[in-house]
Amino acid sequence: MLTYPAIDPVAFSLGPFQVHWYGLMYLIGFLAAWRLALKRSERPWSPVRRKQVEDLVVYCAFGVILGGRFGYVIFYNPEKWLSDPLWLFRVWEGGMAFHGGLIGVLIALWLYTRHIQGSFLALGDFVAPMVPIGLGLGRLGNFIGQELWGRPTDSFLGMVFPNDPLQLPRHPSQLYEALLEGLVLFLVLMWFSRKPRSAGMVGGLFVSLYAVFRFVVEFVRSPDNHIGFDLFDWMTRGQLLCLPMFALGGTVMLWAWWRGRATSTAV
């Protein structure tokens, strides 16, 4: 059995103000994405220039935060929101959802595309390889904060989280997600986007692969206590939300492939 490392979820304090590792991971993720975006904006086929990157990152940051919060409230706890509408704004109580953050980023990209009069799909392809950086760091923040742990297990990968009231060996599912949704997804997208692709291919691959990785890890991740299982008494809310993601990503990739093939044939 693995031993949980004793890590204080509070990174540092400034008087009464506490900075948690989870929030710090978000900040590091945005900074790393900004630096990578600056580098990638120098490519000849980049849909944005270097001077536009800062505005793009700001748009996406608002999309992640607002979308992530709204998504958690709507997808995972609408009953609490209806009984306490102001809970939506008490973000310090926790509660962010990737699927909501994705919708928020897509809306932000659409707004920014209108602002610069560019291509929505091309801009999505540009942003997609940067997203796994934040995803991986965010899952590490979950691990440090002892949130979203896995289901009980008797395998050698089991780990007892100090905050677990049952004190059971559990899968460190946050680390599995950090590996798949973070590192692996980042490497695949960086490799795939190393040369020009039909608009929509990179973004579609990101959406599809994330859906697959998240769906698989959900089998060892504990479902939300107030939700349990949604479908067939084994499918979690996260898995259910991944199904339309996979269909959307695959459809976009097929459309982009067909469009690129038709263009090359016409030429």
Side-chain angles (χ1 to χ4, degrees):
M1 187 175 67
L2 300 175
T3 302
Y4 179 82
I7 305 174
D8 190 339
V10 178
F12 60 88
S13 299
L14 296 173
F17 183 68
Q18 293 184 328
V19 178
H20 288 251
W21 279 108
Y22 183 70
L24 197 59
M25 290 298 182
Y26 265 92
L27 177 60
I28 295 173
F30 284 128
L31 291 175
W34 171 58
R35 293 298 301 173
L36 182 58
L38 287 174
K39 181 67 176 178
R40 291 172 66 85
S41 67
E42 298 172 357
R43 294 183 172 185
W45 61 86
S46 171
V48 293
R49 302 272 65 87
R50 188 179 179 90
K51 63 181 180 181
Q52 298 172 309
V53 167
E54 185 174 334
D55 288 341
L56 175 60
V57 171
V58 171
Y59 270 73
C60 290
F62 275 104
V64 168
I65 296 171
L66 296 178
R69 182 59 178 173
F70 273 95
Y72 179 77
V73 168
I74 295 171
F75 295 147
Y76 289 93
N77 219 328
E79 296 83 5
K80 183 173 182 178
W81 176 42
L82 291 175
S83 63
D84 182 12
L86 293 180
W87 175 64
L88 171 67
F89 305 102
R90 295 199 292 271
V91 295
W92 55 87
E93 295 183 8
M96 296 283 283
F98 166 80
H99 298 90
L102 176 63
I103 294 174
V105 169
L106 291 177
I107 294 174
L109 290 179
W110 178 74
L111 292 173
Y112 191 70
T113 298
R114 289 175 59 87
H115 175 65
I116 65 173
Q117 298 182 340
S119 165
F120 173 75
L121 289 178
L123 196 61
D125 289 345
F126 178 81
V127 169
M130 271 78 80
V131 178
I133 300 174
L135 291 177
L137 290 172
R139 294 309 182 194
L140 290 179
N142 291 143
F143 179 75
I144 294 173
Q146 300 186 51
E147 307 162 329
L148 309 179
W149 51 51
R151 303 182 194 184
T153 178
D154 56 3
S155 76
F156 72 96
L157 293 173
M159 177 181 292
V160 176
F161 290 88
N163 288 353
D164 179 12
L166 300 178
Q167 289 295 285
L168 296 173
R170 296 178 179 274
H171 283 285
S173 55
Q174 313 98 320
L175 299 183
Y176 303 165
E177 290 187 273
L179 175 64
L180 293 176
E181 302 168 12
L183 180 60
V184 174
L185 189 54
F186 173 75
L187 293 176
V188 170
L189 292 176
M190 288 295 289
W191 169 79
F192 189 70
S193 63
R194 73 193 189 284
K195 62 181 182 180
R197 303 281 182 179
S198 299
M201 287 291 288
V202 180
L205 180 62
F206 163 74
V207 173
S208 295
L209 274 184
Y210 175 87
V212 171
F213 291 155
R214 175 69 180 271
F215 194 92
V216 170
V217 175
E218 285 280 329
F219 282 114
V220 295
R221 172 175 160 175
S222 292
D224 295 79
N225 291 329
H226 65 285
I227 297 177
F229 296 99
D230 268 335
L231 195 61
F232 309 128
D233 290 328
W234 62 265
M235 188 175 289
T236 66
R237 182 66 53 87
Q239 288 175 317
L240 200 60
L241 292 170
C242 283
L243 294 179
M245 275 188 67
F246 181 76
L248 174 63
T251 300
V252 171
M253 287 191 72
L254 285 174
W255 181 84
W257 173 81
W258 174 83
R259 187 168 177 266
R261 187 169 179 270
T263 302
S264 62
T265 302
V267 173

